[in-house]
């Protein structure tokens, strides 16, 4: 008998995990060296590991102050990890192989098609190159605009150039790392900085395919269902987050209340844009009302679009669950949106993903309660921020201690990679069951 072949998806997932693991280990080891430290001292391994995980998971949670603790080399390492984590190990590997004149195998092509939404196996190679090109163009344009905006704020030319590049890459990849020392709070009156960051966050959070489809077809009605749901749900969540934050925090003198009436709507929109997966903040997050914190947890839970740089459940899965609820209430046997019927298998996968994310929040939220004595809303906020790779914190990540930091490391890794692996596993080719069990009912209420 011949050897039993390992499933292609399982093999691809293992290679994906090993690839990211190797990059993470190298990044961590570099960050522990004196060359990566501003003080030229050896860095605590836990702090280096936490920072590397946060960067490669494009989260933005930090246990040390990024601009003062890390040297230029340390910041470069963080930026490289962000780019690899956001662009994707598979796309990065594909581009390198293309540059070397080599081809990728069927398994890797299938992984790219399933995760990034390439139209077909035949087009995955050119599709990966297009994703990389789209990323570099967006980040390059954002870096130029931010360089000019920071220069207008009086930042020295070289520092403004580095800040522009770093924040552009961080924003497009929805990472939330900042070099200003005070996040975006010093620039609440600068729409060029906040506006550019919002555009980059939205582009990265939507992903390559929906943007290209909209540019090519030039009509919302001609877009595929997946793209329509991404655009519609993203817009609705942005508007909801902005209006809710503005309504609750408008007179809070510690957040929006200290800003001018003209700045408040802009900052509220920025907070809504950043809340889903980006992690930048233009106000003091610790001073938010509990209602805003809870609403932000909801936005973080939903997250960005599938195949994008962001995390969370994904807007497509969330919108499908909403469509299921509407169809069930109406008594419809089929779930449809925009006059298109959704396959039952996709509905089951979306439901599985939603329950899985709820389980992640329960497990890591509960684990964090054993590591820190903080209000439960802040603990829940921190857990969801890590799972959805957002990077916002209302209690200060440094205050969670060594045990809490370990929990958050596991939460970031689980939130970033395990849903991808779950989707790849659920969408693998499988044999149809040749029989059906008898039907029976279960009471729901």
């Amino acid at each position: 008998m011949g050897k039993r072949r390992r499933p292609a998806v399982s093999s691809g997932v293992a290679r994906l995990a090993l690839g990211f693991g190797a990059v993470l280990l190298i990044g961590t080891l570099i960050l522990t060296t004196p060359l990566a430290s501003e003080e030229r001292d050896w860095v605590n391994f836990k702090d280096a590991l936490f920072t590397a995980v946060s960067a490669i998971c494009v989260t933005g949670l930090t246990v040390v102050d990024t601009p003062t603790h890390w040297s230029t080399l340390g910041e470069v390492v963080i930026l490289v990890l962000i780019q690899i984590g956001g662009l994707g190990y598979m796309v990065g590997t594909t581009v390198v192989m293309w540059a070397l004149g080599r081809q990728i195998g069927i398994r890797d092509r299938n992984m790219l098609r399933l995760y990034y939404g390439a139209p077909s196996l035949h087009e995955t190679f050119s599709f990966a190159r297009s994703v990389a090109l789209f990323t570099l163009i967006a980040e390059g344009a954002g870096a130029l605009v931010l360089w000019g905006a920071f220069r207008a704020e009086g930042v020295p030319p070289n520092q403004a150039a580095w800040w522009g590049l770093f924040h552009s890459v961080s924003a497009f990849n929805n990472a939330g790392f900042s070099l200003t020392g005070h996040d975006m709070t010093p620039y609440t009156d600068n729409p060029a900085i906040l506006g550019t960051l919002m555009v980059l966050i939205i582009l990265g959070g939507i992903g390559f395919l929906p943007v290209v489809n909209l540019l090519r077809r030039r009509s919302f009605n001609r877009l595929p269902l997946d793209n329509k749901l991404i655009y519609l749900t993203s817009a609705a969540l942005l508007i909801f987050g902005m209006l809710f934050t503005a309504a609750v925090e408008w007179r809070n003198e510690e957040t929006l209340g200290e800003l001018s009436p003209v700045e408040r709507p802009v900052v509220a929109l920025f907070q809504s844009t950043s809340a889903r997966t980006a992690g930048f903040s233009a106000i003091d997050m610790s001073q938010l009302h509990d209602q805003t914190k809870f609403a932000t947890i909801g936005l973080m839970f939903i997250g960005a679009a599938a195949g994008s740089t962001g995390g969370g459940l994904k807007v497509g899965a969330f919108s499908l669950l909403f469509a299921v609820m509407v169809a069930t209430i109406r008594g419809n046997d089929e779930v449809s949106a925009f006059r298109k019927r959704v396959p039952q298998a996709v509905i089951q996968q979306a439901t599985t993903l939603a329950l899985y994310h709820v389980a992640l929040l329960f497990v890591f939220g509960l684990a964090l309660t054993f590591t820190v004595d903080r209000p439960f809303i802040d603990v829940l906020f921190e857990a969801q921020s890590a799972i959805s790779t957002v990077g916002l914190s209302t209690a200060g990540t440094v205050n969670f201690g060594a045990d809490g930091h370990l929990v958050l490391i596991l939460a970031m890794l689980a939130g970033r990679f395990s849903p991808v692996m779950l989707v790849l596993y659920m969408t693998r080719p499988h044999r149809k069951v040749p029989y059906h069990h008898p039907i029976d009912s279960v009471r729901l209420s």
Side-chain angles (χ1 to χ4, degrees):
M1 292 180 64
K3 292 183 179 180
R4 185 178 180 181
R5 294 184 62 186
R6 181 184 298 179
V9 171
S10 299
S11 177
V13 166
R15 291 180 60 188
L16 186 68
L18 288 173
F20 271 111
V23 173
L24 176 61
L25 178 60
I26 293 171
T28 301
L29 293 177
I30 295 175
L31 289 177
T32 59
T33 64
L35 292 176
S37 169
E38 191 69 33
E39 300 296 329
R40 292 296 186 265
D41 292 328
W42 288 94
V43 177
N44 180 282
F45 181 81
K46 185 265 294 179
D47 292 344
L49 175 63
F50 190 100
T51 303
V53 169
S54 184
I56 204 169
C57 293
V58 291
T59 306
L61 292 175
T62 58
V63 291
V64 295
D65 186 50
T66 304
T68 59
H69 183 85
W70 301 112
S71 66
T72 301
L73 174 63
E75 293 172 1
V76 169
V77 171
I78 291 171
L79 192 66
V80 171
L81 290 173
I82 290 172
Q83 188 71 85
I84 293 174
L87 181 62
Y89 171 76
M90 292 298 296
V91 168
T93 302
T94 302
V95 173
V96 171
M97 294 182 71
W98 165 70
L100 295 175
R102 298 172 59 187
Q103 295 290 324
I104 60 174
I106 295 297
R107 291 179 177 179
D108 291 339
R109 288 174 184 261
N110 190 48
M111 288 280 287
L112 284 165
R113 181 184 65 83
L114 290 173
Y115 182 66
Y116 290 98
S120 66
L121 283 175
H122 177 70
E123 297 176 280
T124 50
F125 201 67
S126 59
F127 183 79
R129 288 181 299 180
S130 299
V131 171
L133 185 62
F134 169 71
T135 300
L136 295 178
I137 290 175
E139 291 174 350
L144 286 174
V145 176
L146 288 173
W147 172 77
F150 283 126
R151 283 291 295 128
E153 290 285 338
V155 179
N158 291 341
Q159 186 179 18
W162 176 235
W163 278 17
L165 176 62
F166 189 97
H167 289 93
S168 180
V169 173
S170 183
F172 182 82
N173 290 287
N174 283 220
F177 278 88
S178 175
L179 299 180
T180 67
H182 301 282
D183 212 335
M184 293 300 122
T185 53
Y187 307 109
T188 55
D189 60 344
N190 193 321
I193 293 178
L194 297 186
T196 302
L197 292 177
M198 282 191 282
V199 171
L200 290 168
I201 292 168
I202 291 172
L203 287 175
I206 287 177
F208 169 76
L209 196 57
V211 173
V212 171
N213 281 339
L214 186 60
L215 292 175
R216 287 178 176 175
R217 305 189 184 190
R218 299 181 181 181
S219 172
F220 180 82
N221 293 329
R222 297 172 60 189
L223 292 175
L225 176 60
D226 173 73
N227 293 184
K228 289 180 179 178
L229 292 178
I230 287 173
Y231 280 116
L232 184 63
T233 309
S234 296
L237 292 173
L238 282 175
I239 294 172
F240 165 77
M242 172 190 174
L243 294 178
F244 190 90
T245 301
V248 177
E249 301 294 330
W250 192 269
R251 298 185 183 280
N252 184 349
E253 293 297 330
E254 303 298 328
T255 57
L256 293 183
E258 65 176 357
L259 307 176
S260 70
V262 176
E263 295 172 4
R264 293 179 199 177
V266 177
V267 174
L269 178 61
F270 181 80
Q271 292 299 128
S272 177
T273 304
S274 184
R276 299 236 310 285
T277 61
F280 290 106
S281 180
I283 55 178
D284 186 352
M285 295 297 297
S286 66
Q287 300 300 319
L288 290 174
H289 290 310
D290 284 352
Q291 296 89 337
T292 309
K293 294 178 183 178
F294 193 75
T296 304
I297 290 174
L299 292 174
M300 292 192 294
F301 181 87
I302 297 170
S308 71
T309 60
L313 170 63
K314 300 298 188 291
V315 292
F318 172 76
S319 57
L320 276 187
L321 293 176
F322 184 80
V324 169
M325 182 184 70
V326 172
T328 303
I329 292 174
R330 290 180 175 178
N332 297 335
D333 294 331
E334 296 181 344
V335 177
S336 61
F338 293 101
R339 299 183 179 180
K340 295 294 179 67
R341 183 169 57 88
V342 181
Q344 184 63 31
V346 177
I347 295 172
Q348 291 175 335
Q349 290 161 11
T351 305
T352 301
L353 271 177
L355 292 175
Y356 180 71
H357 275 271
V358 171
L360 287 178
L361 180 58
F362 178 84
V363 170
F364 288 110
L366 181 62
L368 276 182
T369 61
F370 291 102
T371 68
V372 66
D373 183 18
R374 290 278 174 173
F376 181 69
I377 187 69
D378 292 328
V379 175
L380 195 67
F381 192 103
E382 195 82 14
Q384 188 61 69
S385 181
I387 294 167
S388 294
T389 66
V390 179
L392 294 174
S393 178
T394 56
T397 305
V398 67
N399 296 319
F400 280 79
D403 292 340
H405 294 163
L406 177 59
V407 173
L408 291 172
I409 286 173
L410 296 175
M412 287 187 286
L413 291 171
R416 182 61 178 172
F417 298 113
S418 64
V420 176
M421 295 178 181
L422 179 61
V423 170
L424 291 173
Y425 188 77
M426 288 190 297
T427 54
R428 75 196 188 284
H430 59 278
R431 296 179 181 178
K432 292 185 178 180
V433 179
Y435 59 88
H436 296 283
H437 293 291
I439 297 176
D440 201 351
S441 184
V442 176
R443 290 178 295 174
L444 301 178
S445 171

